[in-house]
């Protein structure tokens, strides 16, 4: 289990490294003291798990996650317990308060092992399965299979995710290249739909199609995209 330690305090990283030595399955592949270093390490090393401090010079752990495409499993470590609620709001795997207690660390390691995917190695070639989104003061880990619609808003993308409508700081074109092409379809210049959320389809004027999403808006599939949509959806 490749593990990265991210903390601006060398003593905190040293102590965590000492405690993790008790777990043979944990392989510490690197350390970082700020979010820029951490970003480089995550991109280069593809760790399975990151023990991530929240409050650091130059940005928070939440800021780091918002910069990543493929987000590893995250265990937050911090001396400030007021971050606990926020950490679990974003579905962190666990939250450890400094100084880290061996019993709590052992519980976190068990949770990591129980939630380990079949393939632990990350790969940039794999489609995105989740995104971390920081929109104003709110943060989420968003499972993309639960997103029914992506809508372009300039250089940003609005996600339709249940009752939430978080705004992602990247373009629709950049996001499209990383999505699962079997699940998501570019309906028009401004929207990508999740095929699993389609309720019914009607033929419109000029060869266009009108797609009704479950518990969502009606989306117009452009004439240019309609043929491909029909082929993929086996619509006559």
């Amino acid at each position: 289990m490749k593990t990265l330690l991210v903390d601006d305090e060398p003593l905190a990283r040293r102590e965590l490294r000492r405690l993790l030595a008790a777990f043979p399955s944990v392989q510490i592949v690197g350390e970082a003291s700020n979010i820029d270093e951490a970003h480089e390490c995550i991109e280069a090393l593809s760790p399975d798990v990151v023990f991530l401090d929240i409050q650091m010079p130059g940005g928070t752990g939440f800021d780091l996650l918002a910069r990543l495409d493929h987000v590893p499993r995250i265990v937050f470590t911090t001396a400030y317990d007021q971050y606990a609620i926020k950490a679990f709001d974003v579905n962190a795997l666990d939250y450890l308060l400094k100084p880290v207690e061996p019993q709590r660390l052992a519980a976190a390691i068990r949770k990591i092992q129980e939630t380990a995917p079949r393939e632990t190695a990350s790969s940039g070639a794999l489609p995105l399965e989740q995104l971390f989104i920081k929109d104003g003061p709110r943060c989420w880990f968003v499972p993309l299979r639960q997103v029914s619609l992506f809508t372009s808003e300039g250089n940003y993308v609005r996600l339709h995710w249940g009752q939430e409508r978080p705004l992602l700081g990247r373009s629709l074109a950049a996001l499209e290249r990383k999505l699962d092409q079997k699940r998501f379809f570019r309906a028009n210049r401004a929207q990508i739909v999740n095929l699993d959320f389609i309720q019914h389809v009607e033929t419109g004027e000029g060869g266009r199609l009108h797609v009704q999403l479950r518990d969502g808006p009606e989306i117009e599939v452009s004439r240019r995209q309609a043929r491909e949509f029909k082929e993929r959806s086996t619509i006559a």
Side-chain angles (χ1 to χ4, degrees), residues 88 94-97 100-109 111:
F88 283 110
D94 210 336
Y95 178 96
L96 300 177
L97 188 63
V100 176
E101 298 179 354
Q103 297 88 344
R104 280 289 293 117
L105 180 60
I109 296 297
K111 189 178 296 185

Side-chain angles (χ1 to χ4, degrees), residues 203-234:
T203 303
E205 296 181 358
R208 293 177 173 82
L209 297 174
H210 296 277
V211 172
Q212 179 62 54
L213 300 181
R214 289 186 281 110
D215 300 323
E218 181 180 276
I219 305 301
E220 183 179 278
V221 180
S222 68
R223 182 169 52 189
R224 180 179 180 180
Q225 294 293 94
R227 176 175 296 180
E228 181 182 349
F229 182 86
K230 290 177 181 179
E231 292 175 353
R232 291 183 55 176
S233 306
T234 64

Side-chain angles (χ1 to χ4, degrees), residues 35 38-39 42-43 52 59-72 74 76 86 90 128 130-136 138-142 156 167-171 175 178:
I35 65 172
H39 185 264
I42 290 172
E43 292 295 316
L52 178 60
T60 68
F62 301 114
D63 295 323
L64 167 66
L65 297 179
R67 294 168 56 178
L68 301 175
D69 283 335
H70 294 273
V71 181
I74 300 297
F76 284 112
K86 188 174 185 180
V90 298
L128 291 181
Q130 70 171 358
L131 281 172
F132 180 88
I133 298 179
K134 185 175 185 293
D135 186 1
R138 303 188 66 190
C139 302
W140 302 268
F141 280 113
V142 180
Y156 295 83
L167 194 63
L168 176 66
R170 68 189 69 181
S171 70
L175 177 63
K178 297 179 173 65

Side-chain angles (χ1 to χ4, degrees):
M1 184 167 57
K2 296 193 299 182
T3 302
L4 178 69
L5 310 183
V6 181
D7 197 306
D8 64 304
E9 299 178 359
L11 289 177
R13 297 198 306 272
R14 188 181 309 164
E15 175 63 7
L16 187 54
R17 178 181 282 271
R18 184 187 70 82
L19 293 172
L20 287 170
F23 302 93
S25 63
V26 175
Q27 176 193 4
I28 299 175
V29 296
E31 298 183 9
S33 61
N34 57 60
I35 65 172
D36 290 331
E37 289 181 2
H39 185 264
E40 292 178 4
C41 287
I42 290 172
E43 292 295 316
L45 302 173
S46 298
D48 304 309
V49 180
V50 176
F51 285 83
L52 178 60
D53 191 15
I54 297 178
Q55 197 72 6
M56 293 179 287
T60 68
F62 301 114
D63 295 323
L64 167 66
L65 297 179
R67 294 168 56 178
L68 301 175
D69 283 335
H70 294 273
V71 181
R73 284 167 286 161
I74 300 297
V75 176
F76 284 112
T77 60
T78 183
Y80 303 98
D81 58 3
Q82 67 263 34
Y83 289 109
I85 295 176
K86 188 174 185 180
F88 283 110
D89 278 348
V90 298
N91 299 323
L93 191 61
D94 210 336
Y95 178 96
L96 300 177
L97 188 63
K98 300 176 187 176
V100 176
E101 298 179 354
Q103 297 88 344
R104 280 289 293 117
L105 180 60
I109 296 297
R110 286 195 298 271
K111 189 178 296 185
I112 292 169
Q113 293 171 336
E114 290 169 358
T115 61
R118 292 179 181 176
E119 296 183 3
T120 57
S122 301
S123 171
L126 295 175
L128 291 181
E129 295 184 355
Q130 70 171 358
L131 281 172
F132 180 88
I133 298 179
K134 185 175 185 293
D135 186 1
R138 303 188 66 190
C139 302
W140 302 268
F141 280 113
V142 180
L144 294 189
R145 67 182 183 278
Q146 298 177 7
V147 177
S148 61
L149 177 68
F150 300 93
T151 299
S152 175
E153 295 187 9
N155 290 324
Y156 295 83
V157 176
R158 181 75 64 184
L159 279 68
H160 290 240
W161 174 45
Q163 300 301 312
E164 303 289 351
R165 298 293 182 268
L167 194 63
L168 176 66
R170 68 189 69 181
S171 70
L172 191 67
L175 177 63
E176 181 182 18
R177 291 192 291 269
K178 297 179 173 65
L179 293 176
D180 184 352
Q181 300 303 308
K182 296 180 180 179
R183 171 171 284 153
F184 296 100
F185 180 79
R186 184 68 171 261
N188 51 58
R189 294 181 63 182
Q191 294 174 309
I192 295 174
V193 299
N194 186 335
L195 298 174
D196 294 338
F197 280 79
I198 293 177
Q199 181 170 308
H200 60 79
V201 181
E202 296 180 357
T203 303
E205 296 181 358
R208 293 177 173 82
L209 297 174
H210 296 277
V211 172
Q212 179 62 54
L213 300 181
R214 289 186 281 110
D215 300 323
E218 181 180 276
I219 305 301
E220 183 179 278
V221 180
S222 68
R223 182 169 52 189
R224 180 179 180 180
Q225 294 293 94
R227 176 175 296 180
E228 181 182 349
F229 182 86
K230 290 177 181 179
E231 292 175 353
R232 291 183 55 176
S233 306
T234 64
I235 300 174

